[in-house]
Amino acid sequence: MELQQLRYVVAVAELSSFTKAAARCFVVQSALSHQVKALEKELGVTLFARTSRRVELTAAGRAFLPGARASLDAAERAGDEAAAAVGEVRGRLTVGMIPTVTAVSVPAVLKEFRDAHPHVRVALQVGGSDTIAAEIAAGETDVGLLGLPAGREPRGVDWRQIGSDRLVAVLARQHRLADHESIGIDDLAQEAFADFPVGSPGRAQSDLAFSAAGISRDVPFEAMSTEILLDLARENLAVTLLPSRYVRADDGLVAVPVVDGPSRVEYLAWSEFNLSPAARAFLRLL
């Protein structure tokens, strides 16, 4: 069994196509098909059910795939560790981040990292803090930039606090509160809100603050995209609450401090278990 054969099997499984897998692997389809058939013969099982139009993993193929991926990952990791031993960092780095990172400039950090380690391929994934932390714990993401309500720390990962901020009310310029220097949370009691999905850490920051004030608020609009939240506020459809350092006022929006409003803490998160050379180098930089 050769690593190249495993790469071919994984490519076919992910793309459900011998043609597309061959293109990804930069080989002719006949050569890839021959290698897969040779591996099936060696194993004594059929990995793929094939017709002229469909390719699917068989039960044996589904059982084989996790081990094939693990073997490829181990081989790649071995090469990365060998290179790191002589001072060259390479491989892949997966960074999970919330959409409202303000404690660090992600583009600036990545430029510095890229200048120092040009052979590392970086994948950026935007999502919720809980999801990112779970992916780090599962070994699917290397490093995370999280935002959580004040008083709540990341779970299941190693972490370091890197910043904190208060949320501000983002309003359309024609909103009745737009000309106020500051407002209280009770001033927003009758407003319609646009916020992150219920249950997400980004939403929890505001929900906890309103709950502590004994105020029930109406949230008719939910989205993970901050651009959508800002657009809804710009159209005066809703008020949204976002970190003060994230919001940039424009012709259609103003940001008003909420004196007793919610706050959030940003964290750098990772797992010390089996850190890759690229992840170690990224953490050293931060």
Side-chain angles (χ1 to χ4, degrees):
M1 187 184 309
E2 300 176 0
L3 285 176
Q4 194 64 270
Q5 291 174 319
L6 299 183
R7 291 191 182 94
Y8 293 162
V9 168
V10 170
V12 174
E14 292 178 349
L15 300 172
S16 298
S17 167
F18 279 82
T19 302
K20 293 178 181 178
R24 174 194 283 185
C25 297
F26 302 103
V27 296
V28 297
Q29 180 179 336
S30 58
L32 183 143
S33 298
H34 174 77
Q35 287 297 321
V36 172
K37 289 179 181 178
L39 179 59
E40 289 176 321
K41 183 177 180 180
E42 178 183 344
L43 296 173
V45 297
T46 300
L47 299 174
F48 295 100
R50 307 162 172 86
T51 70
S52 59
R53 296 184 178 181
R54 294 179 61 184
V55 176
E56 292 182 0
L57 284 165
T58 62
R62 289 192 294 271
F64 181 79
L65 188 60
R69 284 181 169 141
S71 296
L72 290 174
D73 290 343
E76 182 178 350
R77 181 63 176 271
D80 296 343
E81 293 287 359
V86 294
E88 179 187 348
V89 178
R90 66 187 192 190
R92 289 183 58 83
L93 174 72
T94 303
V95 180
M97 54 186 286
I98 57 173
T100 56
V101 175
T102 61
V104 297
S105 169
V106 175
V109 168
L110 290 176
K111 182 182 186 308
E112 186 174 352
F113 182 76
R114 178 73 172 174
D115 288 344
H117 308 293
H119 300 297
V120 176
R121 314 299 291 182
V122 180
L124 297 175
Q125 299 176 347
V126 178
S129 295
D130 287 344
T131 300
I132 295 169
E135 290 173 347
I136 292 172
E140 298 167 359
T141 296
D142 297 306
V143 180
L145 295 166
L146 317 179
L148 297 173
R152 179 179 161 191
E153 298 173 346
R155 301 169 185 168
V157 294
D158 299 283
W159 56 267
R160 177 182 178 183
Q161 182 177 330
I162 56 176
S164 61
D165 195 7
R166 280 199 166 277
L167 275 61
V168 295
V170 185
L171 313 168
R173 286 201 174 273
Q174 65 268 36
H175 193 279
R176 64 182 182 86
L177 299 172
D179 59 352
H180 286 52
E181 291 187 2
S182 64
I183 56 177
I185 199 168
D186 56 324
D187 293 318
L188 298 169
Q190 303 305 315
E191 298 294 329
F193 280 84
D195 209 334
F196 297 106
V198 64
S200 66
R203 171 70 170 269
Q205 301 156 21
S206 299
D207 283 348
L208 289 171
F210 277 84
S211 178
I215 298 173
S216 176
R217 66 180 181 138
D218 180 26
V219 187
F221 303 103
E222 295 184 350
M224 273 303 296
S225 166
T226 53
E227 291 304 313
I228 292 176
L229 298 180
L230 291 171
D231 285 343
L232 292 168
R234 190 176 287 108
E235 294 296 329
N236 206 18
L237 284 170
V239 173
T240 191
L241 295 167
L242 293 171
S244 67
R245 289 195 297 271
Y246 179 80
V247 179
R248 294 174 178 83
D250 60 28
D251 292 340
L253 292 172
V254 295
V256 180
V258 184
V259 293
D260 51 354
S263 59
R264 73 102 181 261
V265 179
E266 289 185 60
Y267 297 92
L268 173 66
W270 68 95
S271 173
E272 286 290 351
F273 179 75
N274 202 26
L275 268 176
S276 70
R280 288 196 296 267
F282 191 76
L283 290 172
R284 283 196 300 270
L285 185 152
L286 284 177

